Amino acid sequence: MTRLARQPSLIRDVAERAGVSPATVSRVLTGSAAVREPTRARILAAIDELRYRRNRVASNLRRQQVQMIGLVISDIENPHFTQMVRAAEDAAYMQGYRVLLCNTDEDPAKQRDYLGVLAAERVAGAIISPTEADAPEIGELIDLGTFVVAFDRAVADRRADAVLPANTEGARRGTEHLLGGGHESIGFVGGPAGIQTATERLLGYEEAMSAAGLQPRIAQGNFRVEGGRRAAEELIREGATALLVANNMMTVGVLQALRQGGRRVSADVALVSFDDPPWAELTDPPLTTLAQPVRAMAASAMELLMQRLEGRGKRRQCRVFDFELRHRNSCCYPKES
Amino acid sequence: MTRLARQPSLIRDVAERAGVSPATVSRVLTGSAAVREPTRARILAAIDELRYRRNRVASNLRRQQVQMIGLVISDIENPHFTQMVRAAEDAAYMQGYRVLLCNTDEDPAKQRDYLGVLAAERVAGAIISPTEADAPEIGELIDLGTFVVAFDRAVADRRADAVLPANTEGARRGTEHLLGGGHESIGFVGGPAGIQTATERLLGYEEAMSAAGLQPRIAQGNFRVEGGRRAAEELIREGATALLVANNMMTVGVLQALRQGGRRVSADVALVSFDDPPWAELTDPPLTTLAQPVRAMAASAMELLMQRLEGRGKRRQCRVFDFELRHRNSCCYPKES
DNA sequence: CTGAAAGCGCTTACAG
DNA sequence: CTGAAAGCGCTTACAG
């Protein structure tokens, strides 16, 4: 395997050229100690001439720390996570941390695998939206010294901080909004069993329906497009005149099902959808959604991580964020404020 | 800074417990040499009991290779890159490589910075969609032994492989499609100057217009939503009855401008848009687009990288992919096949 | 098949 | 302010 086009220069080469010891070069590189000006200038010049690039792998090993954050999410193609990753990457970049992207596809095995990778890489921190909240690998990662923040969904390990949405409350508000529109046959396009987000949103829906003395109608989706389509077809067949959809991916499927079935959004079937993807206002009609402040939540998660990394913040923190009901036109008669 | 909740066990601990040398433990870890079965079993047991996790940082330093791929793109929130990242991550995961995400925001300084990071981390490979095609850092990265594949846009360094879209040809076809619809006043919502994608798409548009003996009408956007909105407003003001839009982000802005100006897509202004984001068929009417096989392109880029990493494939490769015109309903009179 | 020893490229007490 | 030396946790010729 011919790998190196040119032998990269080492700290030793720089030291030699500048007529100092490697230790001194390292000092100007890290800024860990003062170096006399003329010496410093010679070193900087040597670095430049030799095109020296410090080897981070060696540096990380010696310093026993890796400036890297693992982002464990189910799918980057879900706009919810796309936005989260974007905001997290921004914050990480500003703090000098790198981002390792880990897509789990809601597959517990893949999640375990990736958690193992993060442990092996000895990353400084991880933001995890768990598929399997009680995977033992999460605890092992924390044992190793990695700080963990649960995002979107809680993890079982009590040492992890958390940034969570107020799902139950959000689902209740969404349902009440549809109830306020005069609907009685409101269906719920739910997520997969076992996923916290899905369970909590279902609960809020059931509470609101029960409070209104109405019969809940639930079809289980899988947080993906086809699952949403199938669930919507089922609920429409059963006569639902309104739908609360538990995430934005399934909403795409719901819209496909409605279009295919020749039903108009709002006029025939009212819609309130969780998440607020960029396309929510491009559909016909624009969608009424339950929006999470995803960017703020991601920034918050990074902030918690940074606090830990700086040794501040002893107690476990759990921050909960409310949904915002964005009134657009997929529901008739918006009576709520 | 209290970092470690528990001292992680080392290869030395495992060796001690299994009654062998660290070298032998390493052999079963890497599978680099045969180890007698009973010994091997004892080692595996010790690894399990001590919850040993190999330290990849040390391993990487010693082996002089890092199983990591850098993904340098302008913005993960652009669905074009979201899809690319997803496909690349998939392929990388299957091959046992990690993915480092680097958003440049079309900012040359940020790109340079991130290229420096990749060099310092000594990543095995990088897929780069350059903002600055001739940044010297690209050559330096290659000098260091990192294999580079240009994605979406070429890089100046001739040692990099490339996976590119046939932009000029695509723009020509999009323009001809609008011409075929009977339009004569066709505007082009272009991208930022200096970005190859933008330049080539502009060229294809100009060629098609010139071949039809028509006057080109160009408004420069910036590949972002607001740029698209401004450009569309300008072109509509000048009387354009059809628009070719150079990327999907700007299309969002174009749709906003049309809606705000009270113009209907297709009926008032025909639209063909580059890229085929997931929401293209959710708009009213669904959008006719020029779709790239993004997943296949990303897979192709990873394949080129893997070939290099395995020492195969000597000659520089450049693979060009055609656009597919997806006929939907944002153009009247689709005469083309 | 297994072990002792060297070394990957840095950083950091320790001494001066 | 600077240098010599040790060591981070692995892997890999080399020897047996």
Side-chain angles (χ1 to χ4, degrees), chain B residues 10-327:
Chain B
L10 309 179
I11 205 170
R12 162 173 13 110
D13 304 320
V14 174
E16 210 165 300
R17 178 157 196 131
V20 296
S21 76
T24 306
V25 176
S26 181
R27 285 185 190 106
V28 341
L29 249 26
T30 61
S32 63
V35 172
R36 201 188 293 279
E37 189 41 55
T39 314
R40 175 191 190 72
R42 281 210 316 284
I43 291 171
L44 257 17
I47 286 175
D48 205 49
E49 288 156 18
L50 297 175
R51 305 201 142 325
Y52 171 74
R53 279 277 178 205
R54 170 158 49 152
N55 184 326
R56 273 278 167 207
V57 181
S59 170
N60 289 345
L61 174 60
R62 182 53 234 255
R63 304 172 62 187
Q64 296 283 84
Q65 64 151 294
V66 178
Q67 300 221 35
M68 208 175 277
I69 304 289
L71 257 37
V72 182
I73 58 174
S74 55
D75 181 11
I76 184 97
E77 285 202 73
N78 179 335
H80 176 63
F81 291 116
T82 312
Q83 287 170 25
M84 176 275 207
V85 167
R86 187 54 167 92
E89 196 262 1
D90 254 6
Y93 176 78
M94 308 246 290
Q95 308 280 347
Y97 282 78
R98 334 268 162 254
V99 161
L100 212 59
L101 184 63
C102 312
N103 266 119
T104 63
D105 291 316
E106 306 287 5
D107 175 354
K110 205 170 171 195
Q111 172 178 293
R112 283 172 180 227
D113 209 51
Y114 259 130
L115 290 170
V117 167
L118 296 184
E121 300 286 353
R122 301 290 197 272
V123 297
I127 301 182
I128 304 180
S129 183
T131 284
E132 187 188 28
D134 57 353
E137 284 79 4
I138 296 176
E140 288 169 23
L141 188 59
I142 297 176
D143 284 342
L144 241 28
T146 296
F147 296 113
V148 169
V149 178
F151 180 86
D152 204 58
R153 310 169 187 172
V155 300
D157 197 296
R158 307 297 299 176
R159 292 168 294 175
D161 291 319
V163 173
L164 304 170
N167 287 312
T168 308
E169 164 67 11
R172 204 185 299 126
R173 282 182 56 206
T175 310
E176 284 165 0
H177 181 61
L178 289 166
L179 288 165
H183 293 279
E184 301 203 328
S185 179
I186 303 173
F188 182 70
V189 177
I195 301 288
Q196 184 190 6
T197 323
T199 313
E200 292 179 355
R201 291 175 187 179
L202 172 60
L203 180 65
Y205 161 78
E206 288 178 327
E207 286 179 5
M209 290 297 276
S210 149
L214 293 172
Q215 182 73 14
R217 298 162 179 252
I218 299 149
Q220 190 180 308
N222 55 0
F223 276 171
R224 290 160 179 266
V225 176
E226 354 81 59
R229 192 184 324 119
R230 281 200 316 274
E233 282 163 2
E234 181 183 329
L235 291 166
I236 295 300
R237 213 181 303 123
E238 293 176 7
T241 64
L243 298 176
L244 177 64
V245 190
N247 91 338
N248 80 81
M249 303 289 271
M250 293 196 297
T251 301
V252 174
V254 169
L255 291 174
Q256 290 174 353
L258 293 182
R259 179 171 297 185
Q260 229 163 316
R263 322 249 171 168
R264 290 159 301 169
V265 173
S266 176
D268 298 326
V269 179
L271 232 51
V272 169
S273 173
F274 269 89
D275 301 330
D276 191 53
W279 48 260
E281 44 185 8
L282 301 176
T283 58
D284 174 43
L287 292 183
T288 294
T289 61
L290 287 157
Q292 291 179 62
V294 185
R295 281 151 216 283
M297 291 172 72
S300 184
M302 278 297 301
E303 191 183 287
L304 289 172
L305 227 39
M306 290 303 146
Q307 281 182 10
R308 297 283 175 192
L309 287 167
E310 288 163 10
R312 294 184 287 126
K314 303 284 151 231
R315 297 201 40 188
R316 173 167 177 277
Q317 287 200 53
C318 180
R319 322 232 259 222
V320 177
F321 287 74
D322 280 328
F323 285 86
E324 183 197 331
L325 185 59
R326 298 229 169 117
H327 296 276

Side-chain angles (χ1 to χ4, degrees), chain A residues 113-125:
Chain A
D113 210 50
Y114 259 130
L115 289 169
V117 166
L118 296 185
E121 300 285 351
R122 300 292 196 271
V123 297

Side-chain angles (χ1 to χ4, degrees), chain A residues 144-164:
Chain A
L144 242 28
T146 296
F147 295 114
V148 169
V149 178
F151 180 87
D152 204 59
R153 310 168 186 173
V155 300
D157 198 296
R158 305 298 298 177
R159 292 169 293 176
D161 291 319
V163 173
L164 305 170

